[in-house]
Amino acid sequence: GENVEQHPSTLSVQEGDSAVIKCTYSDSASNYFPWYKQELGKGPQLIIDIRSNVGEKKDQRIAVTLNKTAKHFSLHITETQPEDSAVYFCAALESGGGADGLTFGKGTHLIIQP
Amino acid sequence: DVKVTQSSRYLVKRTGEKVFLECVQDMDHENMFWYRQDPGLGLRLIYFSYDVKMKEKGDIPEGYSVSREKKERFSLILESASTNQTSMYLCASSPLAGGSYEQYFGPGTRLTVT
């Protein structure tokens, strides 16, 4: 089955700086890579996703890059703000389709220092 | 907005008790999932269902069973609760068609087994 590794487990950045979280996956058949944000007391919520036929995707201050050859993908948050503080999870989905569960990384606790 | 609700936010049960965790979604989604979330381990898939009365094992099904009698409701059952099942349990749903793999999560149930 799929295995997703995520680093770092904790990331502390100054407000206004950029944050980068990295993930690697093991199954070359995986073709969908979402990022979820979990705020305290809430369930995870999708913030951005990328499919294997695309190398980069941006949505305002967040972007995701995918390197299929190396089997890794990254989340980039620019101009960080206090509300970006949360736990972020990367995930991968095998090409079996959306009926299967996602394989998640272990999560990154992002702390934005004022 | 998609809404996924879970029957309890907090639950305390005794070892050996039978425990039911209920999840309801209001968006007519075909797929439903149960994950458990533990510190340092991320989210791990217990069971999923892609249709009424259908179920598939995830990565950690041991000690759990599920029931899906109606499309909107997916129940997780701990036949005989044990202390190592103390965890946060998250339910999610997603549509089968439409090309979207986004999973919508409920707020979670924090279960403590004493």
mmCIF file of all heavy atoms in Angstrom, chain A residues 19-39:
data_model
loop_
_atom_site.group_PDB
_atom_site.id
_atom_site.type_symbol
_atom_site.label_atom_id
_atom_site.label_comp_id
_atom_site.label_asym_id
_atom_site.label_seq_id
_atom_site.Cartn_x
_atom_site.Cartn_y
_atom_site.Cartn_z
ATOM 1 N N ALA A 19 6.468 29.573 4.663
ATOM 2 C CA ALA A 19 6.549 28.248 5.284
ATOM 3 C C ALA A 19 6.474 27.190 4.189
ATOM 4 O O ALA A 19 5.697 27.336 3.234
ATOM 5 C CB ALA A 19 5.409 28.046 6.279
ATOM 6 N N VAL A 20 7.295 26.164 4.328
ATOM 7 C CA VAL A 20 7.302 25.068 3.360
ATOM 8 C C VAL A 20 7.202 23.740 4.107
ATOM 9 O O VAL A 20 7.962 23.490 5.048
ATOM 10 C CB VAL A 20 8.579 25.067 2.498
ATOM 11 C CG1 VAL A 20 8.526 23.901 1.494
ATOM 12 C CG2 VAL A 20 8.733 26.385 1.767
ATOM 13 N N ILE A 21 6.280 22.911 3.688
ATOM 14 C CA ILE A 21 6.096 21.576 4.260
ATOM 15 C C ILE A 21 6.268 20.574 3.127
ATOM 16 O O ILE A 21 5.710 20.767 2.034
ATOM 17 C CB ILE A 21 4.708 21.425 4.905
ATOM 18 C CG1 ILE A 21 4.492 22.511 5.974
ATOM 19 C CG2 ILE A 21 4.545 20.037 5.520
ATOM 20 C CD1 ILE A 21 3.068 22.587 6.492
ATOM 21 N N LYS A 22 7.020 19.501 3.400
ATOM 22 C CA LYS A 22 7.359 18.555 2.333
ATOM 23 C C LYS A 22 6.816 17.155 2.625
ATOM 24 O O LYS A 22 6.813 16.717 3.776
ATOM 25 C CB LYS A 22 8.865 18.501 2.167
ATOM 26 C CG LYS A 22 9.467 19.839 1.776
ATOM 27 C CD LYS A 22 10.961 19.749 1.539
ATOM 28 C CE LYS A 22 11.513 21.102 1.131
ATOM 29 N NZ LYS A 22 12.956 21.050 0.839
ATOM 30 N N CYS A 23 6.424 16.477 1.559
ATOM 31 C CA CYS A 23 5.932 15.098 1.676
ATOM 32 C C CYS A 23 6.502 14.237 0.567
ATOM 33 O O CYS A 23 6.738 14.724 -0.541
ATOM 34 C CB CYS A 23 4.405 15.059 1.612
ATOM 35 S SG CYS A 23 3.614 15.729 3.080
ATOM 36 N N THR A 24 6.738 12.977 0.893
ATOM 37 C CA THR A 24 7.111 12.000 -0.120
ATOM 38 C C THR A 24 6.107 10.858 -0.084
ATOM 39 O O THR A 24 5.491 10.591 0.948
ATOM 40 C CB THR A 24 8.528 11.440 0.115
ATOM 41 O OG1 THR A 24 8.562 10.808 1.416
ATOM 42 C CG2 THR A 24 9.569 12.541 0.075
ATOM 43 N N TYR A 25 5.934 10.206 -1.220
ATOM 44 C CA TYR A 25 5.014 9.076 -1.284
ATOM 45 C C TYR A 25 5.722 7.902 -1.935
ATOM 46 O O TYR A 25 6.743 8.057 -2.595
ATOM 47 C CB TYR A 25 3.732 9.451 -2.026
ATOM 48 C CG TYR A 25 3.908 9.874 -3.458
ATOM 49 C CD1 TYR A 25 3.702 8.980 -4.510
ATOM 50 C CD2 TYR A 25 4.252 11.181 -3.778
ATOM 51 C CE1 TYR A 25 3.842 9.375 -5.828
ATOM 52 C CE2 TYR A 25 4.403 11.585 -5.094
ATOM 53 C CZ TYR A 25 4.194 10.686 -6.112
ATOM 54 O OH TYR A 25 4.347 11.074 -7.429
ATOM 55 N N SER A 26 5.174 6.718 -1.741
ATOM 56 C CA SER A 26 5.886 5.517 -2.193
ATOM 57 C C SER A 26 5.290 4.891 -3.443
ATOM 58 O O SER A 26 6.020 4.260 -4.217
ATOM 59 C CB SER A 26 5.898 4.471 -1.063
ATOM 60 O OG SER A 26 4.574 4.087 -0.733
ATOM 61 N N ASP A 27 3.994 5.055 -3.659
ATOM 62 C CA ASP A 27 3.325 4.346 -4.748
ATOM 63 C C ASP A 27 3.237 5.225 -5.992
ATOM 64 O O ASP A 27 2.531 6.236 -5.998
ATOM 65 C CB ASP A 27 1.920 3.932 -4.291
ATOM 66 C CG ASP A 27 1.251 2.978 -5.273
ATOM 67 O OD1 ASP A 27 1.708 2.875 -6.435
ATOM 68 O OD2 ASP A 27 0.264 2.336 -4.880
ATOM 69 N N SER A 28 3.952 4.836 -7.016
ATOM 70 C CA SER A 28 3.970 5.637 -8.241
ATOM 71 C C SER A 28 2.608 5.671 -8.930
ATOM 72 O O SER A 28 2.380 6.477 -9.834
ATOM 73 C CB SER A 28 5.032 5.096 -9.208
ATOM 74 O OG SER A 28 4.801 3.727 -9.474
ATOM 75 N N ALA A 29 1.671 4.798 -8.502
ATOM 76 C CA ALA A 29 0.326 4.810 -9.080
ATOM 77 C C ALA A 29 -0.546 5.913 -8.486
ATOM 78 O O ALA A 29 -1.617 6.220 -9.014
ATOM 79 C CB ALA A 29 -0.351 3.461 -8.858
ATOM 80 N N SER A 30 -0.106 6.536 -7.410
ATOM 81 C CA SER A 30 -0.893 7.618 -6.807
ATOM 82 C C SER A 30 -0.980 8.789 -7.768
ATOM 83 O O SER A 30 0.013 9.146 -8.418
ATOM 84 C CB SER A 30 -0.277 8.057 -5.485
ATOM 85 O OG SER A 30 -0.426 7.043 -4.519
ATOM 86 N N ASN A 31 -2.157 9.393 -7.846
ATOM 87 C CA ASN A 31 -2.330 10.453 -8.845
ATOM 88 C C ASN A 31 -3.069 11.674 -8.328
ATOM 89 O O ASN A 31 -3.434 12.569 -9.093
ATOM 90 C CB ASN A 31 -3.065 9.885 -10.071
ATOM 91 C CG ASN A 31 -4.452 9.383 -9.741
ATOM 92 O OD1 ASN A 31 -4.874 9.411 -8.588
ATOM 93 N ND2 ASN A 31 -5.157 8.910 -10.745
ATOM 94 N N TYR A 32 -3.316 11.708 -7.030
ATOM 95 C CA TYR A 32 -4.037 12.851 -6.456
ATOM 96 C C TYR A 32 -3.428 13.162 -5.093
ATOM 97 O O TYR A 32 -3.256 12.250 -4.266
ATOM 98 C CB TYR A 32 -5.523 12.507 -6.323
ATOM 99 C CG TYR A 32 -6.342 13.539 -5.589
ATOM 100 C CD1 TYR A 32 -6.596 14.786 -6.154
ATOM 101 C CD2 TYR A 32 -6.865 13.262 -4.335
ATOM 102 C CE1 TYR A 32 -7.346 15.731 -5.479
ATOM 103 C CE2 TYR A 32 -7.616 14.202 -3.647
ATOM 104 C CZ TYR A 32 -7.850 15.429 -4.226
ATOM 105 O OH TYR A 32 -8.595 16.371 -3.552
ATOM 106 N N PHE A 33 -3.096 14.440 -4.873
ATOM 107 C CA PHE A 33 -2.340 14.826 -3.680
ATOM 108 C C PHE A 33 -2.972 16.062 -3.043
ATOM 109 O O PHE A 33 -2.704 17.192 -3.454
ATOM 110 C CB PHE A 33 -0.872 15.083 -4.055
ATOM 111 C CG PHE A 33 -0.260 13.944 -4.811
ATOM 112 C CD1 PHE A 33 -0.268 13.932 -6.194
ATOM 113 C CD2 PHE A 33 0.305 12.869 -4.135
ATOM 114 C CE1 PHE A 33 0.275 12.863 -6.909
ATOM 115 C CE2 PHE A 33 0.859 11.801 -4.828
ATOM 116 C CZ PHE A 33 0.830 11.794 -6.218
ATOM 117 N N PRO A 34 -3.799 15.873 -2.043
ATOM 118 C CA PRO A 34 -4.433 17.016 -1.379
ATOM 119 C C PRO A 34 -3.680 17.441 -0.125
ATOM 120 O O PRO A 34 -2.903 16.670 0.457
ATOM 121 C CB PRO A 34 -5.809 16.447 -0.998
ATOM 122 C CG PRO A 34 -5.539 14.999 -0.734
ATOM 123 C CD PRO A 34 -4.410 14.591 -1.658
ATOM 124 N N TRP A 35 -3.920 18.668 0.285
ATOM 125 C CA TRP A 35 -3.427 19.187 1.556
ATOM 126 C C TRP A 35 -4.628 19.624 2.388
ATOM 127 O O TRP A 35 -5.499 20.335 1.901
ATOM 128 C CB TRP A 35 -2.495 20.381 1.334
ATOM 129 C CG TRP A 35 -1.155 19.994 0.804
ATOM 130 C CD1 TRP A 35 -0.794 19.855 -0.506
ATOM 131 C CD2 TRP A 35 0.013 19.696 1.575
ATOM 132 N NE1 TRP A 35 0.526 19.475 -0.602
ATOM 133 C CE2 TRP A 35 1.044 19.375 0.660
ATOM 134 C CE3 TRP A 35 0.284 19.664 2.937
ATOM 135 C CZ2 TRP A 35 2.338 19.033 1.080
ATOM 136 C CZ3 TRP A 35 1.568 19.331 3.359
ATOM 137 C CH2 TRP A 35 2.574 19.016 2.432
ATOM 138 N N TYR A 36 -4.627 19.196 3.658
ATOM 139 C CA TYR A 36 -5.698 19.536 4.568
ATOM 140 C C TYR A 36 -5.151 20.363 5.721
ATOM 141 O O TYR A 36 -4.034 20.159 6.191
ATOM 142 C CB TYR A 36 -6.364 18.267 5.124
ATOM 143 C CG TYR A 36 -7.317 17.600 4.155
ATOM 144 C CD1 TYR A 36 -6.828 16.803 3.124
ATOM 145 C CD2 TYR A 36 -8.686 17.779 4.264
ATOM 146 C CE1 TYR A 36 -7.704 16.194 2.228
ATOM 147 C CE2 TYR A 36 -9.563 17.171 3.371
ATOM 148 C CZ TYR A 36 -9.065 16.390 2.361
ATOM 149 O OH TYR A 36 -9.928 15.807 1.471
ATOM 150 N N LYS A 37 -5.987 21.283 6.188
ATOM 151 C CA LYS A 37 -5.647 22.124 7.336
ATOM 152 C C LYS A 37 -6.613 21.790 8.459
ATOM 153 O O LYS A 37 -7.831 21.730 8.239
ATOM 154 C CB LYS A 37 -5.789 23.603 6.945
ATOM 155 C CG LYS A 37 -5.568 24.600 8.082
ATOM 156 C CD LYS A 37 -5.809 26.022 7.575
ATOM 157 C CE LYS A 37 -5.584 27.053 8.676
ATOM 158 N NZ LYS A 37 -5.888 28.430 8.194
ATOM 159 N N GLN A 38 -6.078 21.545 9.647
ATOM 160 C CA GLN A 38 -6.921 21.236 10.793
ATOM 161 C C GLN A 38 -6.697 22.262 11.883
ATOM 162 O O GLN A 38 -5.625 22.319 12.484
ATOM 163 C CB GLN A 38 -6.646 19.824 11.319
ATOM 164 C CG GLN A 38 -7.607 19.408 12.433
ATOM 165 C CD GLN A 38 -7.377 17.990 12.902
ATOM 166 O OE1 GLN A 38 -6.276 17.469 12.819
ATOM 167 N NE2 GLN A 38 -8.422 17.343 13.400
ATOM 168 N N GLU A 39 -7.714 23.052 12.136
ATOM 169 C CA GLU A 39 -7.666 24.016 13.234
ATOM 170 C C GLU A 39 -8.130 23.343 14.517
ATOM 171 O O GLU A 39 -8.819 22.324 14.483
ATOM 172 C CB GLU A 39 -8.520 25.221 12.885
ATOM 173 C CG GLU A 39 -8.012 25.966 11.660
ATOM 174 C CD GLU A 39 -8.901 27.110 11.234
ATOM 175 O OE1 GLU A 39 -10.102 27.085 11.569
ATOM 176 O OE2 GLU A 39 -8.409 28.022 10.559
#
